[in-house]
Amino acid sequence: MLLKTSLRTFFAHKGRMVLSLIAVVLSVAFVSGTLVFSNTATSTFDKLFAATASDLSVQPPKPDNGDDDQRDRTPTLPADTAQKVAATAGVKTAVGQVMVANATLVDPATNKVVGPTSGAPTLTGNWTDTPRNAVEITSGHVPQGPGEVVLDADTVKKSKLGLGAGLRVITADGKHDFTVVGIASFKTTNPGAALAFLDTATAQQVLLGETAFTSVEAFGDGSRGNDQLKADLLGKLGSGYQAKTAAEQKDENDKSVGAGLDFMKYAMLGFGGISLLVGGFLIINTFSMLVAQRTREIGLLRAIGGSRSQVNRSVLVEALILGVLGSTLGIGAGVGLAVGLIKLMNAVGMNLNAGDLRIGLNVPVAAYAVGILVTVAAAWIPARRASRIAPIAALRDHGTPAEGRSNIVRTIVGLVLTAGGAGLLVLAAGADKAGTGGKLLGLGVLLSLVGFVVLGPLLATTVVRVLGALLPALFGPSGKLAQRNAARNPRRTGATAAALMIGLALVIGASVFTNSATKSTNAQIDKNVGADYTVDGGRTGLSPEIIAAVKSAPGLAHVTEEKYLRGAAIVTADGSSTKGIAAVSGTFTDDFSLPAASGGPDFLKQGGLAVGQDFAKDHNVKVGDTVKVDYGKGHIQSVPVGLIIGKGNSLFSGASFIGIDTVAKAVPAAEQPATGQLYAKAAPGADVAKTLTALQDAVKEYPQVQVVDKAGYKEIVQSQINTLLYLIYGLLGVAIVVAVLGVVNTLALSVVERTREIGLLRAIGISRRQLRRMIRLESVVIALFGAVLGTGLGLAWGVTAQQVLKENGLESLAVPTGTIIGTLIASVVIGLLAALVPAFRAGRMNVLAAIATD
């Protein structure tokens, strides 16, 4: 009986459920679409790895830092390792492989980079014939001499190269020209990389500078398992090697691919989370209004014997139906979203097959869990309220029971949460350490957000009156009615505005943070950077040829080199160490003004080391102390600490510097990484703009090299900061879509709820135009209410975040006034758009039919 009643009620009001249904569909679509895309990508790469991985890959030991930089010298194995592996019992075939990711491919005819410039790698190596080649020659032939190269088919297509075309390979040691003699196609799928193959001798000479291999790939004869083969090989080869079975190679590759997809995965799940949160308010509003409209119906159910629990379950069953239906449709929409994501990834170079979608068990489980749980949880409050309606009061249509006590409890809880959140934000702003401040900030954001949501109805009563104060004077009776309608049901207004508040709080907070970061960084560049130009070599680094070309450009006073010694470690007296040191030329202190807590800029000339203030404090190091620098491979050097870098500057936060001349005394040039950046200063009297052009012309044969002046450097920093802001804008877009649905739904249901009232208004003389204006103004007031709350919260969050990171370089606060004004204007537009359909529907009501509505 209960189920039958719930089904009849649901389908009798299905039109009123449509917008809530859309909110559930959107939320589930993001979650299920992300999972389908992730499953498909994982399955695709699993097939590739399974089809191409050797039984055992013998590799050099891991770098000391555990994560080699592409500009570091590529670790290698002695050439005779291949013969030793091949001679091991159980090995059928062993192939020496050369493969590097620090070479740049260039079309010499157009001087443009061939292959991806970011994301997927460009891999250059030797052509080998193995039992599990990932590619096969489909046109031309394998490379057979020092001037021949094979390219993969996808790169050939994108770069519009072909057989006989020229291809330049630029490495850290120089540039080398080849002719394309073959095109290779992937047997399974191209993960998005660009592949170039040389013959083995040429690859060793050009890519490694020595007769060696980067790995030896072994394929067993079946007489031993891979684990046994690994143990035998390592026992035979001794130390200085690492070996990975096919399973271990697959796990490593899976982690690598997973890391690349994580950003998109978590961003999409973030969209789904925001949509779920905002959609929850829409569902609460929908069921609250439906319960209010069915007061007499609920009273009849109670009068004929229905218990409170049965009424409660009746509403929850309707929510369950909505959740199941929304989740089912959401899975379908999610599949469509996954196909779109796959096409997007294909456009940027990752080839995935949209016809090979993988919809695992985790997709429907997550989709139904998310959709049903959120919907039922959101409907629980209205359901509980419905069960508390006394039968006689309901039959007399007195509505829901008095909520005086409920409002008192809500007010107390809301004030406690908001005060707690505000207190935590204040504590975060005054915290001594950024880590502590960050934790307090996160908790403060959560409590203040929940507090504002709980206090929404209380705030609505006051704020809406203020926001709508001018409406009666500007729009007459329509404005006065709109103001009173918005304030008449503060709980509904608060829940409707909360959806918009969340999205706007996110964007305002992020805007304050990013604007402050940009302003702070620009101020630090102006104050601390004396270099006029920066030359960056990208993932290849800067070869001696490029460095010579830069130094030969006219109009320069000097050029400073910087190399990053990723594996170098500073070892202090207490045995502690930190890894990563920048090795720089002696003119570095002319190009950069390092903020000094103690010591001076002559530390480079004195063969000293500069360390950060936090490092010095944590390890009790002061200027004049001697520490050891471990460069790896047995190269250890004792150097004095000559400068302790002060805190509060993001350009040098956590950095350590040492002179290249000092490093050269301990580490041979052949073992040092390639130069990563050059900094140049214009000569006195030189035209800065013309010198920039001369620099760019000097390296025009190296398209991977980026040359910028101070303004260009600021733009690069700004683009990095904007990545976060664009993600927040995307989240805001999702929140706004669902929030608009909430406003539309609230107004649409309130029009139904106020049918008799609207009829009476029309009967006493209000025109259709005035009626539509009343509803539009009511919508605008609600949207502005949400915008005001969101702006206040966002400002509090953003300002606190800036204060938390003040000592880490975020020293300047910048409030985005333009964004705030634009947000408020956009809220008015949102309110107007959301009211279009409900206002039109109200204006078309038949007056007599409306008055006669029961």
Side-chain angles (χ1 to χ4, degrees):
M1 183 65 182
L2 175 65
L3 178 61
K4 189 175 183 181
T5 302
S6 298
L7 287 171
R8 283 185 175 180
T9 304
F10 179 85
F11 289 107
H13 301 101
K14 57 182 179 295
R16 305 179 192 179
M17 297 281 196
V18 169
L19 295 180
S20 293
L21 182 68
I22 294 174
V24 177
V25 170
L26 279 176
S27 306
V28 173
F30 281 115
V31 174
S32 60
T34 301
L35 293 176
V36 171
F37 170 76
S38 179
N39 290 349
T40 302
T42 301
S43 172
T44 299
F45 286 109
D46 280 348
K47 289 180 181 178
L48 173 65
F49 301 147
T52 60
S54 59
D55 292 329
L56 194 68
S57 178
V58 180
Q59 302 169 6
K62 281 189 175 182
D64 293 336
N65 60 312
D67 181 21
D68 58 321
D69 189 298
Q70 292 173 339
R71 289 174 292 202
D72 290 344
R73 296 288 176 179
T74 304
T76 59
L77 296 170
D80 63 355
T81 307
Q83 286 76 32
K84 292 180 180 178
V85 173
T88 303
V91 175
K92 181 179 181 181
T93 305
V95 178
Q97 187 173 73
V98 176
M99 190 64 67
V100 301
N102 59 359
T104 301
L105 307 180
V106 176
D107 180 356
T110 61
N111 206 39
K112 292 182 178 180
V113 173
V114 173
T117 55
S118 61
T122 296
L123 301 175
T124 311
N126 64 325
W127 178 267
T128 57
D129 286 318
T130 73
R132 299 175 197 153
N133 264 6
V135 294
E136 59 184 351
I137 299 293
T138 52
S139 183
H141 58 81
V142 300
Q144 298 171 347
E148 298 183 347
V149 66
V150 169
L151 268 181
D152 71 276
D154 292 319
T155 302
V156 166
K157 181 179 179 181
K158 292 172 185 174
S159 61
K160 298 181 181 179
L161 296 174
L163 295 178
L167 183 72
R168 181 169 295 154
V169 178
I170 300 177
T171 67
D173 296 321
K175 56 185 179 181
H176 312 271
D177 290 321
F178 298 90
T179 300
V180 178
V181 297
I183 298 173
S185 299
F186 274 82
K187 295 180 179 179
T188 52
T189 185
N190 180 359
L195 299 183
F197 300 98
L198 314 173
D199 69 274
T200 298
T202 304
Q204 290 173 329
Q205 177 187 354
V206 170
L207 303 177
L208 303 179
E210 60 178 326
T211 303
F213 296 110
T214 56
S215 70
V216 174
E217 307 302 323
F219 300 87
D221 59 12
S223 62
R224 286 171 172 79
N226 290 347
D227 291 328
Q228 182 61 48
L229 194 60
K230 173 181 176 178
D232 293 346
L233 265 173
L234 289 178
K236 178 179 180 180
L237 295 174
S239 61
Y241 298 87
Q242 60 174 330
K244 297 177 182 177
T245 63
E248 291 170 336
Q249 293 175 63
K250 176 183 177 299
D251 290 342
E252 184 178 55
N253 288 327
D254 283 344
K255 290 179 182 178
S256 176
V257 171
L261 296 175
D262 274 351
F263 177 79
M264 175 174 287
K265 179 179 179 179
Y266 292 131
M268 294 301 297
L269 290 177
F271 292 159
I274 289 292
S275 183
L276 284 170
L277 181 61
V278 177
F281 292 109
L282 194 161
I283 295 166
I284 290 173
N285 255 12
T286 299
F287 279 92
S288 294
M289 297 178 75
L290 288 177
V291 166
Q293 291 170 20
R294 289 159 45 196
T295 300
R296 180 168 293 179
E297 175 188 325
I298 291 171
L300 286 171
L301 285 174
R302 293 292 309 281
I304 62 175
S307 66
R308 291 178 61 175
S309 61
Q310 286 178 314
V311 171
N312 194 345
R313 288 201 301 272
S314 174
V315 177
L316 291 179
V317 167
E318 291 179 47
L320 178 63
I321 296 170
L322 178 69
V324 171
L325 184 58
S327 299
T328 303
L329 296 175
I331 292 174
V335 171
L337 180 62
V339 171
L341 287 174
I342 288 172
K343 291 182 177 180
L344 175 63
M345 297 307 291
N346 288 345
V348 299
M350 181 184 288
N351 294 337
L352 300 174
N353 185 4
D356 192 25
L357 291 178
R358 287 290 180 269
I359 305 175
L361 182 62
N362 62 336
V363 176
V365 168
Y368 283 110
V370 165
I372 293 173
L373 287 177
V374 170
T375 306
V376 173
W380 179 81
I381 296 174
R384 182 171 173 271
R385 197 178 301 146
S387 68
R388 294 169 59 194
I389 300 175
I392 301 301
L395 289 173
R396 291 176 180 174
D397 204 16
H398 288 172
T400 57
E403 298 179 353
R405 182 184 174 189
S406 174
N407 285 338
I408 292 173
V409 173
R410 172 188 285 269
T411 301
I412 293 173
V413 172
L415 288 173
V416 169
L417 289 172
T418 304
L424 287 170
L425 293 179
V426 171
L427 290 174
D432 293 332
K433 293 185 177 181
T436 304
K439 294 175 182 177
L440 292 172
L441 172 62
L443 189 55
V445 166
L446 179 61
L447 287 183
S448 59
L449 175 61
V450 177
F452 263 58
V453 170
V454 174
L455 279 180
L458 179 65
L459 295 172
T461 305
T462 305
V463 178
V464 166
R465 287 176 182 171
V466 174
L467 293 175
L470 293 177
L471 294 183
L474 294 175
F475 300 101
S478 297
K480 190 171 185 178
L481 288 169
Q483 181 197 31
R484 291 188 175 182
N485 284 337
R488 181 166 60 178
N489 194 327
R491 175 173 284 174
R492 181 187 304 166
T493 299
T496 305
L500 193 58
M501 176 190 73
I502 294 170
L504 296 182
L506 280 172
V507 77
I508 295 296
S511 295
V512 171
F513 176 81
T514 54
N515 279 32
S516 298
T518 301
K519 183 179 179 181
S520 299
T521 305
N522 287 344
Q524 290 162 11
I525 291 173
D526 292 335
K527 179 181 178 181
N528 299 103
V529 179
D532 295 306
Y533 315 103
T534 299
V535 182
D536 187 89
R539 52 185 162 191
T540 304
L542 299 166
S543 67
E545 290 178 2
I546 299 174
I547 296 172
V550 169
K551 290 182 176 180
S552 67
L556 296 179
H558 66 256
V559 175
T560 300
E561 295 183 45
E562 181 179 40
K563 303 181 179 185
Y564 190 63
L565 311 175
R566 183 178 293 269
I570 304 172
V571 184
T572 60
D574 61 4
S576 301
S577 66
T578 185
K579 292 186 176 180
I581 307 174
V584 294
S585 305
T587 52
F588 182 79
T589 51
D590 297 328
D591 293 327
F592 294 91
S593 176
L594 297 177
S598 60
D602 293 335
F603 73 95
L604 290 174
K605 297 177 183 178
Q606 299 167 357
L609 177 72
V611 297
Q613 189 172 359
D614 285 336
F615 174 81
K617 181 180 178 181
D618 293 342
H619 301 289
N620 195 28
V621 172
K622 58 184 182 296
V623 171
D625 290 351
T626 298
V627 297
K628 291 184 178 180
V629 180
D630 186 350
Y631 299 104
K633 296 185 178 179
H635 303 303
I636 300 175
Q637 184 180 38
S638 295
V639 295
V641 175
L643 175 69
I644 294 178
I645 304 169
K647 296 194 297 182
N649 192 304
S650 59
L651 297 178
F652 312 111
S653 179
S656 301
F657 297 97
I658 195 170
I660 289 178
D661 293 340
T662 302
V663 174
K665 295 176 182 179
V667 183
E671 296 183 24
Q672 295 179 23
T675 298
Q677 286 86 27
L678 296 175
Y679 306 104
K681 195 172 183 65
D687 187 306
V688 177
K690 289 183 179 179
T691 304
L692 174 63
T693 303
L695 266 175
Q696 292 170 335
D697 290 341
V699 297
K700 63 183 179 181
E701 293 185 2
Y702 307 93
Q704 82 279 12
V705 176
Q706 187 177 29
V707 182
V708 295
D709 56 9
K710 274 190 181 180
Y713 186 62
K714 289 179 181 178
E715 290 177 4
I716 292 173
V717 173
Q718 177 70 55
S719 65
Q720 294 170 346
I721 294 172
N722 282 344
T723 301
L724 169 65
L725 189 59
Y726 294 150
L727 174 61
I728 299 297
Y729 282 159
L731 291 171
L732 173 67
V734 174
I736 284 179
V737 169
V738 182
V740 169
L741 293 177
V743 178
V744 172
N745 214 28
T746 298
L747 292 173
L749 289 174
S750 71
V751 166
V752 175
E753 185 179 60
R754 292 166 9 211
T755 298
R756 182 183 294 178
E757 175 187 319
I758 290 171
L760 290 172
L761 287 172
R762 294 279 286 116
I764 62 175
I766 192 171
S767 66
R768 288 184 175 180
R769 183 178 180 183
Q770 288 175 313
L771 182 63
R772 288 195 293 266
R773 180 185 297 163
M774 176 192 77
I775 293 173
R776 287 197 298 270
L777 292 175
E778 181 182 346
S779 177
V780 168
V781 169
I782 293 173
L784 273 177
F785 173 56
V788 168
L789 295 187
T791 300
L793 271 180
L795 284 172
W797 297 348
V799 170
T800 304
Q802 183 269 328
Q803 289 296 310
V804 167
L805 296 173
K806 191 172 183 178
E807 294 298 320
N808 291 62
L810 208 68
E811 56 189 16
S812 301
L813 175 64
V815 177
T817 307
T819 301
I820 293 173
I821 294 173
T823 297
L824 295 175
I825 293 173
S827 300
V828 174
V829 175
I830 289 170
L832 290 172
L833 292 175
L836 288 178
V837 174
F840 177 74
R841 184 177 179 183
R844 295 191 61 186
M845 281 187 182
N846 182 283
V847 177
L848 294 178
I851 294 173
T853 300
D854 187 7

